Amino acid sequence: MKLITAIIKPFKLDDVKAALETFGVKGMTVSEASGFGRQKGHTEVYRGAEYKVDVVPKIRLEILVDDEDAEEVIDVVVKAAQTGKIGDGKVWSTTVDTVVRVRTGETGAEAL
Amino acid sequence: MKLITAIIKPFKLDDVKAALETFGVKGMTVSEASGFGRQKGHTEVYRGAEYKVDVVPKIRLEILVDDEDAEEVIDVVVKAAQTGKIGDGKVWSTTVDTVVRVRTGETGAEAL
Amino acid sequence: MKLITAIIKPFKLDDVKAALETFGVKGMTVSEASGFGRQKGHTEVYRGAEYKVDVVPKIRLEILVDDEDAEEVIDVVVKAAQTGKIGDGKVWSTTVDTVVRVRTGETGAEAL
Amino acid sequence: MEIDSGNTAWVLASAALVLLMTPGLAFFYGGMTRAKSVLNMMMMSFVSMAVAGMVWVLWGYSVAFGSEGGIPALFGGLDAWGLVGLETAVTDGLPDLAFAAFQATFAIITVALISGAIADRAKFLTWVVFIPVWLTLVYLPIAHWVWNAEGWIFKLGAIDFAGGTVVHINAGCAALALALVLGKRKGWPKEPMRPHNLPFVLLGAGLLWFGWFGFNGGSALAANETASLAFLNTIVATGAAGFGWLIVEKLRDGAATTLGIASGIVAGLVAITPAAAAMTPVGALVLGLVAGAICAVAVGLKYKLGYDDSLDVVGVHLVGGVIGALAIGVWGSAAFGADSLLAGGGIELLGKQALAVVATLAYSFIVTFIIGKVLDLTLGFRVDEEAEVSGIDLAEHAETAYDFGPSTSGGRSGAPAPVSADSKVEADA
Amino acid sequence: MEIDSGNTAWVLASAALVLLMTPGLAFFYGGMTRAKSVLNMMMMSFVSMAVAGMVWVLWGYSVAFGSEGGIPALFGGLDAWGLVGLETAVTDGLPDLAFAAFQATFAIITVALISGAIADRAKFLTWVVFIPVWLTLVYLPIAHWVWNAEGWIFKLGAIDFAGGTVVHINAGCAALALALVLGKRKGWPKEPMRPHNLPFVLLGAGLLWFGWFGFNGGSALAANETASLAFLNTIVATGAAGFGWLIVEKLRDGAATTLGIASGIVAGLVAITPAAAAMTPVGALVLGLVAGAICAVAVGLKYKLGYDDSLDVVGVHLVGGVIGALAIGVWGSAAFGADSLLAGGGIELLGKQALAVVATLAYSFIVTFIIGKVLDLTLGFRVDEEAEVSGIDLAEHAETAYDFGPSTSGGRSGAPAPVSADSKVEADA
Amino acid sequence: MEIDSGNTAWVLASAALVLLMTPGLAFFYGGMTRAKSVLNMMMMSFVSMAVAGMVWVLWGYSVAFGSEGGIPALFGGLDAWGLVGLETAVTDGLPDLAFAAFQATFAIITVALISGAIADRAKFLTWVVFIPVWLTLVYLPIAHWVWNAEGWIFKLGAIDFAGGTVVHINAGCAALALALVLGKRKGWPKEPMRPHNLPFVLLGAGLLWFGWFGFNGGSALAANETASLAFLNTIVATGAAGFGWLIVEKLRDGAATTLGIASGIVAGLVAITPAAAAMTPVGALVLGLVAGAICAVAVGLKYKLGYDDSLDVVGVHLVGGVIGALAIGVWGSAAFGADSLLAGGGIELLGKQALAVVATLAYSFIVTFIIGKVLDLTLGFRVDEEAEVSGIDLAEHAETAYDFGPSTSGGRSGAPAPVSADSKVEADA
Ligand SMILES: Nc1ncnc2c1ncn2[C@@H]1O[C@H](COP(=O)(O)OP(=O)(O)O)[C@@H](O)[C@H]1O
Ligand SMILES: Nc1ncnc2c1ncn2[C@@H]1O[C@H](COP(=O)(O)OP(=O)(O)O)[C@@H](O)[C@H]1O
Ligand SMILES: Nc1ncnc2c1ncn2[C@@H]1O[C@H](COP(=O)(O)OP(=O)(O)O)[C@@H](O)[C@H]1O
């Protein structure tokens, strides 16, 4: 079992979700994040005083998948989230020891 | 050392926390998330235009535990978070290489 | 490839970020979290009724690094985030199987 | 008769002020609920403005202020339905329509006040039905008793300058009745329910105070010394009550709160309402301190007695209203027509005040309880548990109050854009 | 001539009330946008207050209400530029400056109303230029036609008590023109765009209603029966319209919403504006129900016809204004000067009303469209796509509306302190 | 003497308007703080309403406007304590109590204005003690100097129509003194501190503008030409100042901001206050532009000089007030009693204006500084560092402003329900 984590641009979420559904992924968990990196933040001005915001809003996706699907899912996410501009984000995968579906107690692939 | 991650229904947080405390877990980290899955979202209406929200609010719990406690902690969470209805969430565990307590620099089991 | 996750006090974020930049880390992802642990929450009062808040605000940092940098990065974070008071947080590392930069599709160390 | 343009200007301005009190109330109450039910709370006030206004024009004014066609001591008839015949009438230099407009705003706010007791759990449709029924059976008769020259309380000689009995005691009792009919919210009082937006509560308190100058000052129906006295007392009693509430909080809880001062302000406004033109400014100051302090304690009663008067309509409006009504009998000023105990007038006035209070209290509670029960048994007055837990705004109004989306200062909070929603036009359904 | 202090008091109070309508509008509109463009939305209203006020003093009053130096039937000249000569003038007991101040607030709100159609996407600088140009070429002439005794619509005998044509039909048409000039927002109508703060919408509706008592009541220019009638009708028509809108929603969508009642309230205020002193209270009640229900349907038109009138200025102000203007001709009250169809006056009045409506509609649309096009071709009227997507507040104003930071109740929401920002003082640049 | 109902109506309406300014200020200031200290900021305004109102009734009116029992040129005695004897008095057609009520609202807002300088860090209890002490030692004497017929500035012949010296210069100086006494906030000016809620700032600015019509218009104490002029100038100068501020911002920072227009509006209101009835509308327009532009620059001074006047009370109220006072001497209108430089009156008036300014400035600064120091040494005026960092709302008031919980549009933002809180009833402690 793998956990795919993706940091993407917020406005790409719908595209990524659609692509994953098409691929057959049944669920995922989304949360808000802020990113530091090559992509620059912006500056606001309040009564003449500059206020620099050096993070950019990002979305974090977590998708549990079967080992065999991991690579393809990464591919799907990368393609759907790509704009080609700096700040598109990262996708990574880690190994999961066990997964349980809370409702039923099922584990492993059954739990997804 | 294991990291148990749980996605649960928000109103179950208190129960889960209480169960974990009873079990002897000393700390955990909580964050907000949204979930896609079998559980459906809802529809809002603004000036006659429908507005579909297809995610549901979830809570993400992260609990660092000793290897030997991992299974039991998963059990405790699953039991406490269960309502039996769709959308109860997932619990999974991954292997952690090292843990450090920032305050003291202690590592491993000492750090928890 | 390692993923370093750190739970720190919010007001320490600037220090940690600066320290990481000095060390040479190029990017990271930040999100909001709440922590339970030894550090206590607080009590509010509304029309005479007490309202206990037993979590404290925390920041979660995620930093992808090369295997050889992992230990040093942990060190850098721990030093920068330390106040010596209860609630300074935890830092842990896990093993990452693959990392992809969405923009280019580069993987591994190239992706950072 | 010739119109006095100055008095008319003041009464019209006052009517506008009193009308603003209901949106003010929506914020005072709405800020106190949780974020998942703020819209429903505000909606109960706004729909009161809509429905009570129509009732007032159609038959409300006639029943409350008409004397023919009804039972003079108890209620008026339908002679002046639709305000027919008032268009060009002028009484004491004031167009009858100005008076009717001014009074319309009183009916509106009174019914809206009740809604604070049933936060988070009332079926909206049933509330909409409740409004005209309650106004007709409870508000209009009591208004007739107190303000119509033929009304029995008017004739009794009890003093209620701007509506302590008709509006506040009445609303407070009705609130208690509905709180009992609907029952406790799920989780109350164990689960903590904190105000979701205290600045809104302060906004509401500010607008209420502002509007109340029309409520009290305008009740003189003229721009004269009486109005000026009522106005000034509405400054000082209100401030004193806010201060009184803070003192109790500081001593009891260790901290003076914004919710406390906002609550004290409203308690003071309630208490000074019947007494605004019957006390000296110093008397009003004392009344404020007393009312603020007592109400600060009274809001805790519900935990002891176990009724879920969610936003403390009883603790503030009922208790505050009673304090104000009785205080007139104790330290009202003889110079302003209150032969009170301390003014050497004996207990006669106090007795009358008490009688007016008890009559209003009993009538309002009993009739409202019956109305509530009947509506509960027929239409149902309470939403189902799931709606209550997931939030009444969504369940009853298909809306949620806020969507701060990705804007809370750019990247900082990292909130995402609305996640995958889909709009479909339904206007042609 | 001697001043009537009561009338003057009422007109000044009314002017203050009408001025407050524009901040009210800023909240009504601002709450309806997404959080990333609320500031720009509000700013369009606030800058209207700044610029229109200056225009009014410098030449606006003179062109609208002056009769010399211009073409009497169409517009006035510059004789009274800078309000020179009005300082001590008194007309019908009212200081001319009080009237000028009252009317200033009308010019302000009218131009601000238009901005609702171009939410999220208008270059701020171009909007600032648009204000004086539009006022001069569109608003001032129409105001002259309707309100100046020499104006052709005034002479025609069409009834527009408080500005249904000048303000609402005019603003609604201009809004449509600008919506067409600027085009649809990116993603509209596919991407859902929900109001980010419904309590703000309700606050705006409440303040608008409050201020509208000055708008309609003050238009009597005296504190008398006419003002009282207009005032009372502004209570009942408004409430009825809110209710009418809710009924349509309940039947069509299954839920009555707060956005619905707020919209209905505004629709009712718009509809009653021309008719406030030309209908009985019961007639006003009916007008409200009709206007609320029709506007609730009319806001769906844009999806069918494909123009992005973002916040429904057309569906509410244009449609509501037309309903009000025509209703006078149908069921206006003869007792108040409206020889309507139902009052047995035949269709003459209805014809005049229709003529006034059509003239305003056509003139406003055509001239505004030309102004908009010219500005678009010269200065550009639309921000670039990136600014629109990332948020116009940041792009045009270098600000974001909210930063709730770590406070939303302590640890609960776990929001972090502002992340690593750096302040540099720029005041000495 | 007979009451003029029109004038009384106007003064009462004005008093209500001015009272609303303080809640307006609470939002103007509260929106500018960070979310963790908004409640404390608003609380300082609200408690001013409570305490200053009581002080005013008990001895404030008597010291400011009484002439007997004190030193006529400097302050009054306690003859009219508790407003005893005013109940039926009428002066120039106006009930004395109406005047006392109107003036009460001035005392309230003045002290509240000061609080902007000490955002985020003042002990609440000390602030509560500061209010009556400061009013007594600073405000009441200065009010006496300027507004009592026996006061030395009144006799000098300096023009201050509605309170530029008494209210704004005075509050601005006191603010500077307290900012120095309390010292800089931790992290200032390095750490950025942005406004947490700009719509609230705009709401505050809107309510302030609205209320200011009472402040300036009502200061005529009659509904006449003077009131009308003051009213109109309060429209045009204010708008012009907002515009002037935006121009500076656009040129200097590249973007015109909502915080800028809100600030400019307040700067314009401050500047026109003393001059409202001493300038032509065009003169007022110019004054607005000048004041807005200069204040936009002046708010940067604190970074150069190093005092943490957190919300720019100095840059807006002190600077704006001085501009307004001196402008009367430079381009005031002779027709309205200002023999100014440009009106050919020489520099005499300007000299008097300058003297009044300097006297107020010096007296206010020195006495306030001493009061502040004494309070700091005895009660302590500043919260401890931990409270400042974690948020003064929680530390001083045991509250937090917001809890949007899980509602910000359902699932979208994924906020959790309040995390594990436990309620315990403490009402019976
Ligand atoms: N080393 C890292 N560890 C964790 N997240 C990172 C790391 N580097 C970048 N990120 C995340 O990826 C996002 C995009 O990275 P950035 O460097 O801006 O652009 P790109 O990936 O296109 O080169 C960042 O905003 C951040 O959220
Ligand atoms: N493949 C997945 N990866 C990550 N999170 C998932 C996945 N599937 C479901 N989830 C999370 O679990 C929650 C519950 O899943 P859902 O399918 O709705 O119900 P259930 O687990 O009861 O079958 C989702 O809302 C989502 O947050
Ligand atoms: N077992 C755990 N698993 C995950 N996070 C934890 C765990 N224990 C503590 N934390 C996180 O670390 C933070 C600090 O822990 P705490 O016990 O308060 O202090 P300290 O680490 O200084 O002993 C907590 O607020 C929580 O976010």
Side-chain angles (χ1 to χ4, degrees), chain A residues 17 30 62 97 100 102 111, chain B residues 2 34 36 60 82 90-91:
Chain A
K17 196 172 63 83
V30 182
E62 286 169 304
D97 303 334
V100 188
V102 173
Chain B
K2 296 285 178 186
S34 306
F36 290 89
R60 180 212 273 111
Q82 210 168 56
K90 316 282 172 195
V91 181

Side-chain angles (χ1 to χ4, degrees), chain F residues 262-301:
Chain F
S263 308
I265 281 169
V266 175
L269 290 164
V270 168
I272 196 63
T273 293
M279 281 199 179
T280 63
V282 175
L285 191 159
V286 173
L287 174 56
L289 283 173
V290 169
I294 294 183
C295 289
V297 175
V299 292
L301 272 180

